[in-house]
Amino acid sequence: MTLTAKDKKMVKAFWAKVAGKAEDIGCDALSRMLVVYPQTKTYFSHWKDLSPGSAPVRKHGGTIMGGISLAVASIDDISAGLLSLSELHAFQLRVDPANFKILSHNILVVLAVLFPNDFNPEAHVAMDKFLAAVGRALSEKYR
Amino acid sequence: MVQWTDFERATIQSVFEKMDYDDVGPAALSRCLVVYPWTQRYFGNFGNLYNAAAIQGNPMVAAHGKTVLHGLDRAVKNMDDIKATYAELSVLHSEKLRVDPDNFRLLADCLTIVVAARMGAAFTADVQRAFQKFLAVVVSSLGKQYH
């Protein structure tokens, strides 16, 4: 399920529309993930406040969206573009890759909430494929 | 038996009471057929499914989307025994329709996205959690009679 030229065009166009709200998207997606999938909280036991919209959640949501932005810019070779992030996740963070799907789902929910008209089925399938590709790139160095 | 909090019960009733079935049903099914195109395998006799526009304009998809969404009414009314409520439908999907039960999860995800889009900010994290828990129970119950 590789990204076609059509997918890449759609992702870039859609990202251009939503990038202005990247921090809000990241904050809301991460907040939802921690509430709806409480097992993900195990990765953040070092944070004082895990409640939706808290300062560490907002900051980290922004960090994650920075990575997504980088992936959009590297869409022709996501693995190369995300190489150092991939090594970070493999050797230091060691986040179970199943969680990439969980966070991706929550990003899609937030896109639906914030952009109900732009996030049509064609944008949805392109973003779903793109986020899956990002997850794959991040897991590349795991074993 | 699944334990539901008062918040979860109230949330599920409220979400479905406010839902426009004629809008959400077709939107969820057509989105599923676009986002997960392999699901089209079950709709060979639905005519033109060649692209997203065709799928979204297809009247058979729309009609079937409403049917499927109304199928959830029984679970909404019988939250304390969804498994028994869906035993017959599970047998139907397994033996007659031969639907891979993973498809229930795919449609549930699309329904979540559509409801999120319709409800906007009202689809809070707590509402999302209750809604996804409800759909997970439905999905599990529909798969229970497969053998």
Side-chain angles (χ1 to χ4, degrees), chain A residues 101-112:
Chain A
K101 279 194 197 140
I102 291 176
L103 181 57
S104 296
H105 168 73
N106 286 288
I107 291 172
L108 296 178
V109 169
V110 172
L111 293 176

Side-chain angles (χ1 to χ4, degrees), chain A residues 32 35 37 105-106 119 124, chain B residues 31 117 123-124 128-129 132:
Chain A
R32 282 174 191 272
V35 167
Y37 302 88
H105 168 73
N106 286 288
F119 194 60
H124 180 166
Chain B
R31 190 169 283 250
F123 195 67
T124 63
Q128 182 185 341
R129 180 173 49 190
Q132 288 193 201

Side-chain angles (χ1 to χ4, degrees), chain A residues 1 31-32 35-37 105-106 108-109 112-113 116 119-122 124-125 128, chain B residues 31 34-36 38 52 56 109 113 116-117 120-121 123-126 128-129 132:
Chain A
M1 297 197 255
S31 299
R32 282 174 191 272
V35 167
V36 182
Y37 302 88
H105 168 73
N106 286 288
L108 296 178
V109 169
V113 167
F119 194 60
N120 56 32
E122 280 150 307
H124 180 166
V125 62
D128 193 22
Chain B
R31 190 169 283 250
V34 171
V35 177
Y36 309 109
W38 53 95
Q56 288 168 265
D109 280 352
I113 296 287
F123 195 67
T124 63
D126 289 324
Q128 182 185 341
R129 180 173 49 190
Q132 288 193 201

Side-chain angles (χ1 to χ4, degrees), chain B residues 39-99:
Chain B
T39 57
Q40 293 169 28
R41 76 189 299 284
Y42 300 106
F43 302 105
N45 61 330
F46 271 29
N48 187 356
L49 299 178
Y50 297 136
N51 53 42
I55 291 168
Q56 288 168 265
N58 186 308
M60 288 180 82
V61 171
H64 194 64
K66 290 181 207 172
T67 301
V68 169
L69 191 58
H70 278 291
L72 290 180
D73 288 341
R74 271 183 268 184
V76 174
K77 294 191 178 94
N78 291 291
M79 284 176 69
D80 287 315
D81 203 353
I82 296 178
K83 193 165 91 177
T85 302
Y86 280 145
E88 231 184 277
L89 265 179
S90 179
V91 171
L92 175 79
H93 282 76
S94 162
E95 301 195 354
K96 185 163 170 244
L97 304 177
R98 304 211 189 265
V99 175

Side-chain angles (χ1 to χ4, degrees), chain A residues 56-135:
Chain A
V57 170
R58 175 160 286 277
K59 181 164 175 246
H60 197 60
T63 301
I64 293 174
M65 284 294 123
I68 303 280
S69 250
L70 177 60
V72 175
S74 318
I75 205 165
D76 288 319
D77 192 347
I78 300 178
S79 297
L82 295 191
L83 184 58
S84 46
L85 273 175
S86 179
E87 288 176 349
L88 177 75
H89 283 78
F91 304 125
Q92 283 181 53
L93 302 177
R94 289 177 289 194
V95 172
D96 189 310
N99 294 291
F100 301 145
K101 279 194 197 140
I102 291 176
L103 181 57
S104 296
H105 168 73
N106 286 288
I107 291 172
L108 296 178
V109 169
V110 172
L111 293 176
V113 167
L114 292 177
F115 306 97
N117 298 317
D118 289 312
F119 194 60
N120 56 32
E122 280 150 307
H124 180 166
V125 62
M127 286 306 296
D128 193 22
K129 285 178 76 175
F130 167 70
L131 290 173
V134 172

